[in-house]
Amino acid sequence: MVNINVNGEEHSLDVDPAMPLLWALREELQLTGAKFGCGVGLCGACMVHLDGVPVRSCSTPLAEAANRRVTTIEGLDSAIGKTLQDAWVDENVAQCGYCQSGQIMSAAALVAANPQPSDKDIEAAMSGNLCRCGSYQRIKRAIHSAAKAHASGEKS
Amino acid sequence: MAISRRTFLLTGLAATSGLAVGIVFADDKAPAMPPYPHASATDLQPNAWLQVTPDNRIIFQLHKAEMGQGIMTGLITVVAEELGVAPEAIIRQFSGIHPAYLNPLFHLQITNASSSMVTCYQPMREAAATVRLLLLTAAAQDWGVPVAELDTRDGVVIHANSGKKAPCGDFVAIARGLPLPEKPAFKSPDQYRFVGRYNRRLESRDKVNGSAKYGIDITPKGTVVAVVVRCPHFGGRLKNFNADQARAMRGVLDVGPIDDSAVAVVATHYWYARQAADTLDIEWDAGALKGVSSQSIASDQRAALDALEAENNLPIARGSLSVEYTAGYMAHAPMEPMNATVAIDGDKVDLWVSTQAPDIARGAVALSLGCAPDRVTVHGCYLGGGFGRRVIADVAADAAKVAKRFGKPVPVKVIWSREDDLQHDAYRQAVTSRLYAELDGAVVKTWRYCVAGDSLIYNLFHVIRPVIFPPAMPDSEVEKIARKKMESDEKNLERIDEPLYQLGPAKVSQVFVQSGIPVFFWRSVGHSFNTFFLESFMDELAHQAKVESLAFRLKHLAPDSVESKLLKLAAAKAQWGRPKKGRFQGIALEKIKGALLAAVAEVSVRGTAIRVHKIVCTVDIGKVINPDIARTVIESGIVWGLSACLHDQITIADGKVEQSNFHDYALARMDETPEMEVYLVDSERSPVGVGESAVGLVAPAIGNAVFKATGKRLRSLPLKM
Ligand code: FES
Ligand code: FES
């Protein structure tokens, strides 16, 4: 049994503690927002927060999340998270959309740590997230506009 | 290796406009019309797309795959305009399979070849205008007023003269009994509220909060998960395997072969299945492609071109230019790995799959199970990318075979890993091409093109086999037909058959060198390499003629053509001839599926590193439905093209793919994505699709800039200094 807290709810999971967090979320808890893209830490589609820190859930054993706070896209309800999601919609970022949960989780961690990121900061924080649809320029724009909106308190 | 060759003449511009048409089947008769899969006894449903309920909901059936290209928003914007309601007020559903949904270009229910807007624009307008007119006619009867005095707006029928209003749903019962109007009138463009203005992707919210469901997210109750270990050598076979360890592992429910080249592991969870699969001890027979490599394929192609040239015995004029270009294999690598879920319950089969062609997927499942296709229900969902890959139903067939083998009435979900995806794709074909031209001063007098490579059409007929041939047809017969169809394959000549420039008469030859590597339609298909070849060659000719490359292109275009306007606009927007210090510019032109585009790339080269700083792209895609969504898709095409020419490459060794994941099949990341500017020009042409636009344009624009920067002409894809 592994005890984890996901999006504020406690769960006790009867699976191998070595199972990657991604598959526990998707197959045990039916939280399918975090996506399988590469399985080996190369694409960022599976990004979630562990105690607020972005991690690749495909490469994080469930045991490592035991007794810690996991946040997935479904539970991203911070003010900055919501502002980012709105900015994503306004900038038409998502195309197929498959990578976007992971992109937003990375962006949320970035802006939480660095409220006014520069282009370079954004590139450094986001280059671990692949988008086969090439939405990068829009992501950059959305992060800037969300950071701005957040700072001016429009949405927070 | 099998070879088949053909030469023909191209005289003047686009002399062969009949070339790039879709598949037409011999037994092409009008299909019977069964009831709609979403048929209702109470709603107004005059066509396969729209329905109005008595409680005033408007429901739209999306029969196209929404895979990022924005067709859901595009089609709904078109119907919303005619209905006079906001696009977001329309309820969206994924349609089932029905003959009304067949793509008229391909006679399959398929989303491909940037064909959705081209083929659906008119039918969608008619569908919506019909619904509107039926509702108005019903209201006119009910209220005893002339139809011409009525209008619909935001779901309400309005009689302006009397101020009378009622929800559209109130007239559904009467409207259901009315005859279909012959030619319902369309809104005039000056009345438009949405077309050309509506810039919100309808499903965006679901895609940013994790609620959008892709095939891989759909898990019906009781689902078990399987992985499939397939012979890594194309055409190879399973010799034997030992699964003792795997069978004893946690969560494992079944291990065994599903066909002559694959073993499946079924478990309660994906990770258990994958762990167990990694312990399998399998012996493969590498088969006929043993020893085949990218190098051996390229040298076969060269030899075939040599033979072709010797046979044609063409003279080489003095001062002419003759060069060879090549392009390697590419994988589609959509972000959502291949997956499918099949549930067999008695004689009823359900299939959940992200697919561009539900009828091919249905056929593949039926063929694998030996049942009639109408036993199989395909459930729609979003696609985590398609790019041509999701026309192929291999993973749906896998899921059917595993479910059959497993033999329990529970859903079986097969998930391919990224490694499976990259190693068992059907790839963008590798080709070798030779280009030749004679100049008369600064003008091209005549030119030649010959290409050697695999045939897509040959592979296509194997892919669509389950829908077009009877199940009992022997493989040898399918093979014979596929070989025959190869004779009409013009895919390796795309763009060459419409060079855009006035280059005088051309002699075009092609030879199919069948490598045995599976190949398939890959975003922009033949344009993905021929645009690079031809546009780079144009620059080579300009250099030889000592004319500046933009001026040389304009010399070969009609002065007032859309092509020259787009080139000039791109040049103006990019400050052509005045790049930033240390940067160099290249230009290129593209026409794909009716879309015309020009681009200027601004590039710097340091050592062997090519850095792309900026791409300016000008575009004519006819009447634009959703301008900002069109721009996003063109940006996507640019990044795809960039990824393809700077990174991606699939190489073959010993009949198998050498790459396995994103570390060795790298995709462009944010930090190397250039600044992009996309300009849509006003156009009165009917709308065309944009899904494959700009992909082919990027490599030549970059390559031409690299030549300016270094004097080195890059003639292979991907570009390497
Ligand atoms: S799936 Fe985890 S990084 Fe790709
Ligand atoms: S939106 Fe398709 S992969 Fe990013």
Side-chain angles (χ1 to χ4, degrees):
Chain A
M1 283 291 176
V2 182
N3 297 319
I4 55 168
N5 179 305
V6 182
N7 301 331
E9 274 180 46
E10 299 292 337
H11 298 274
S12 192
L13 305 182
D14 182 15
V15 293
D16 187 337
M19 179 182 283
L21 176 59
L22 172 67
W23 295 107
L25 292 170
R26 292 181 57 84
E27 296 185 339
E28 278 292 290
L29 300 176
Q30 276 72 55
L31 290 171
T32 55
K35 300 294 192 231
F36 171 48
C38 68
V40 292
L42 294 167
C43 76
C46 62
M47 201 69 83
V48 301
H49 294 176
L50 199 54
D51 289 336
V53 177
V55 297
R56 289 173 171 77
S57 62
C58 71
S59 311
T60 306
L62 180 59
E64 219 173 292
N67 305 313
R68 295 171 72 185
R69 256 181 329 110
V70 179
T71 309
T72 70
I73 187 78
E74 291 92 341
L76 183 71
D77 51 11
S78 63
I80 185 61
K82 293 276 166 227
T83 311
L84 281 165
Q85 286 169 329
D86 291 346
W88 243 247
V89 171
D90 291 344
E91 296 287 349
N92 280 328
V93 175
Q95 294 194 27
C96 86
Y98 193 79
C99 72
Q100 300 298 345
S101 302
Q103 305 278 3
I104 291 172
M105 294 311 284
S106 289
L110 164 68
V111 182
N114 177 359
Q116 290 296 324
S118 65
D119 274 356
K120 284 265 162 291
D121 297 337
I122 295 175
E123 285 169 14
M126 301 300 297
S127 283
N129 285 84
L130 286 176
C131 174
R132 187 52 161 153
C133 302
S135 64
Y136 302 122
Q137 176 162 300
R138 301 276 171 151
I139 291 175
K140 207 183 269 181
R141 245 195 259 164
I143 294 176
H144 280 306
S145 81
K148 220 163 152 198
H150 189 64
S152 70
E154 274 174 38
K155 309 232 168 144
S156 54
Chain B
M1 182 183 68
I3 291 189
S4 114
R5 60 175 72 107
R6 197 149 79 90
T7 298
F8 47 89
L9 283 174
L10 259 187
T11 40
L13 188 68
T16 53
S17 55
L19 280 184
V21 189
I23 324 146
V24 179
F25 304 118
D27 58 342
D28 182 21
K29 42 181 159 9
M33 283 290 164
Y36 300 134
H38 54 288
S40 146
T42 51
D43 300 344
L44 175 63
Q45 270 184 316
N47 52 63
W49 293 276
L50 284 164
Q51 105 201 59
V52 183
T53 68
D55 62 355
N56 208 30
R57 285 173 299 135
I58 302 172
I59 304 171
F60 179 76
Q61 300 293 322
L62 181 68
H63 68 303
K64 290 290 173 183
E66 176 52 67
M67 47 191 171
Q69 84 282 39
I71 197 64
M72 177 183 264
T73 306
L75 297 185
I76 291 178
T77 303
V78 172
V79 300
E81 190 67 77
E82 295 300 331
L83 289 171
V85 298
E88 64 271 17
I90 295 176
I91 297 166
R92 313 181 295 268
Q93 290 178 353
F94 295 110
S95 82
I97 296 177
H98 190 270
Y101 299 137
L102 291 179
N103 184 328
L105 294 179
F106 303 94
H107 300 258
L108 295 166
Q109 189 167 329
I110 189 169
T111 309
N112 69 329
S114 308
S115 63
S116 298
M117 197 42 93
V118 171
T119 57
C120 297
Y121 176 64
Q122 210 53 25
M124 289 305 110
R125 294 170 86 197
E126 278 166 23
T130 299
V131 167
R132 178 171 177 271
L133 186 54
L134 286 171
L135 290 167
L136 293 184
T137 309
Q141 278 185 13
D142 197 33
W143 291 347
V145 297
V147 177
E149 290 179 9
L150 294 173
D151 195 8
T152 53
R153 197 170 170 104
D154 300 328
V156 177
V157 180
I158 300 164
H159 185 235
N161 297 354
S162 67
K164 222 170 170 171
K165 283 182 192 182
C168 290
D170 289 5
F171 307 102
V172 163
I174 305 176
R176 277 176 61 89
L178 295 174
L180 283 185
E182 286 269 312
K183 274 218 172 334
F186 298 139
K187 293 256 167 81
S188 70
D190 59 316
Q191 298 173 287
Y192 282 179
R193 293 158 68 196
F194 308 114
V195 168
R197 301 204 172 94
Y198 194 77
N199 277 325
R200 288 175 50 192
R201 184 183 277 269
L202 288 169
E203 80 282 13
S204 267
R205 184 59 65 182
D206 296 345
K207 288 181 173 175
V208 302
N209 63 18
S211 67
K213 293 282 182 238
Y214 302 83
I216 201 168
D217 299 328
I218 298 167
T219 310
K221 216 171 147 31
T223 297
V224 296
V225 185
V227 304
V228 172
V229 183
R230 194 163 282 287
C231 180
H233 306 269
F234 295 113
R237 298 203 181 291
L238 176 66
K239 259 166 103 176
N240 50 57
F241 71 102
N242 182 326
D244 293 348
Q245 194 184 339
R247 287 205 177 88
M249 288 172 72
R250 181 167 183 183
V252 173
L253 303 170
D254 181 39
V255 184
I258 52 165
D259 54 37
D260 64 5
S261 68
V263 178
V265 179
V266 185
T268 55
H269 295 68
Y270 172 78
W271 191 71
Y272 294 147
R274 181 61 62 198
Q275 292 288 105
D278 289 345
T279 70
L280 291 175
D281 187 8
I282 307 182
E283 199 185 335
W284 304 110
D285 168 358
L289 296 199
K290 193 171 163 48
V292 168
S293 67
S294 291
Q295 291 76 11
S296 72
I297 292 166
S299 74
D300 288 347
Q301 291 178 350
R302 282 201 187 96
L305 288 176
D306 288 345
L308 190 70
E309 284 176 338
E311 184 180 280
N312 287 343
N313 195 21
L314 296 162
I316 303 289
R318 270 168 63 96
S320 61
L321 188 64
S322 181
V323 291
E324 183 178 283
Y325 279 83
T326 62
Y329 293 106
M330 298 281 186
H332 298 81
M335 215 60 215
E336 178 192 5
M338 296 299 115
N339 66 88
T341 303
V342 165
I344 306 172
D345 185 3
D347 65 351
K348 198 175 128 340
V349 181
D350 286 283
L351 168 66
W352 292 266
V353 64
S354 304
T355 178
Q356 290 176 248
D359 48 3
I360 298 178
R362 176 176 71 173
V365 166
L367 193 64
S368 304
L369 298 178
C371 71
D374 62 6
R375 302 282 90 201
V376 183
T377 305
V378 183
H379 302 269
C381 57
Y382 290 110
L383 279 63
F387 315 118
R389 176 64 180 88
R390 287 195 150 97
V391 170
I392 307 171
D394 44 5
V395 72
D398 274 4
K401 291 178 204 168
V402 181
K404 185 177 178 184
R405 184 195 144 82
F406 191 52
K408 308 221 162 58
V410 295
V412 175
K413 180 191 278 187
V414 166
I415 303 178
W416 285 17
S417 65
R418 179 59 60 193
E419 289 80 1
D420 296 334
D421 171 54
L422 289 178
Q423 304 202 322
H424 298 283
D425 194 2
Y427 305 86
R428 198 285 301 279
Q429 65 275 41
V431 298
T432 305
S433 294
R434 290 181 187 162
L435 291 101
Y436 168 93
E438 285 172 37
L439 285 162
D440 184 359
V443 174
V444 179
K445 205 168 70 184
T446 171
W447 64 296
R448 303 206 288 260
Y449 175 88
C450 51
V451 56
D454 282 284
S455 164
L456 289 185
I457 295 297
Y458 166 83
N459 283 274
L460 176 68
F461 274 83
H462 286 283
V463 166
I464 61 181
R465 174 212 209 289
V467 239
I468 63 163
F469 300 132
M473 184 185 276
D475 288 350
S476 57
E477 188 62 18
V478 174
E479 178 67 19
K480 217 160 84 197
I481 295 172
R483 288 209 173 275
K484 182 96 190 102
K485 291 290 179 181
M486 224 161 90
E487 286 166 21
S488 57
D489 184 352
E490 313 288 1
K491 293 297 162 192
N492 290 350
L493 299 176
E494 284 185 329
R495 176 64 195 269
I496 301 302
D497 58 20
E498 199 174 1
L500 305 181
Y501 302 111
Q502 295 161 352
L503 303 174
K507 183 170 271 260
V508 173
S509 335
Q510 65 173 336
V511 48
F512 291 115
V513 184
Q514 296 288 85
S515 66
I517 305 299
V519 293
F520 203 64
F521 296 69
W522 181 92
R523 193 177 189 179
S524 84
V525 194
H527 296 270
S528 68
F529 47 85
N530 279 334
T531 306
F532 170 67
F533 298 170
L534 188 62
E535 289 291 331
S536 301
F537 189 55
M538 283 299 284
D539 253 44
E540 297 206 61
L541 291 167
H543 185 71
Q544 172 129 333
K546 301 197 170 54
V547 178
E548 187 275 326
S549 54
L550 171 61
F552 185 78
R553 283 177 167 77
L554 295 176
K555 241 183 203 312
H556 292 86
L557 290 167
D560 51 357
S561 62
V562 180
E563 289 87 338
S564 51
K565 279 184 200 146
L566 288 173
L567 278 172
K568 284 191 238 167
L569 180 63
K573 295 288 185 190
Q575 317 230 6
W576 178 253
R578 281 170 292 139
K580 282 212 176 122
K581 201 167 167 297
R583 298 185 186 176
F584 300 84
Q585 293 169 318
I587 197 163
L589 182 64
E590 173 181 74
K591 182 176 185 190
I592 177 161
K593 309 291 181 204
L596 274 160
L597 302 96
V600 172
E602 198 165 295
V603 166
S604 63
V605 183
R606 214 184 269 169
T608 59
I610 301 167
R611 171 94 208 171
V612 185
H613 300 276
K614 187 170 176 179
I615 292 188
V616 171
C617 188
T618 52
V619 187
D620 179 339
I621 45 169
K623 194 196 288 272
V624 186
I625 311 294
N626 309 106
D628 199 51
I629 294 177
R631 274 191 290 269
T632 65
V633 177
I634 289 159
E635 290 165 14
S636 169
I638 292 172
V639 177
W640 181 282
L642 183 90
S643 218
C645 77
L646 294 185
H647 290 297
D648 319 349
Q649 187 175 20
I650 289 293
T651 55
I652 309 293
D654 206 17
K656 65 180 194 183
V657 168
E658 293 186 290
Q659 289 69 27
S660 63
N661 208 315
F662 294 132
H663 63 291
D664 53 9
Y665 191 75
L667 306 179
R669 293 177 183 270
M670 183 188 277
D671 56 1
E672 56 201 322
T673 299
E675 181 187 344
M676 294 176 275
E677 286 176 16
V678 176
Y679 300 95
L680 305 174
V681 301
D682 288 335
S683 172
E684 281 315 306
R685 292 191 295 139
S686 193
V688 299
V690 72
E692 296 171 284
S693 286
V695 169
L697 197 53
V698 178
I702 294 173
N704 291 339
V706 168
F707 179 76
K708 268 197 208 143
T710 65
K712 189 168 171 186
R713 176 55 61 182
L714 303 180
R715 297 198 184 94
S716 286
L717 286 177
L719 304 173
K720 291 243 156 51
M721 286 300 294

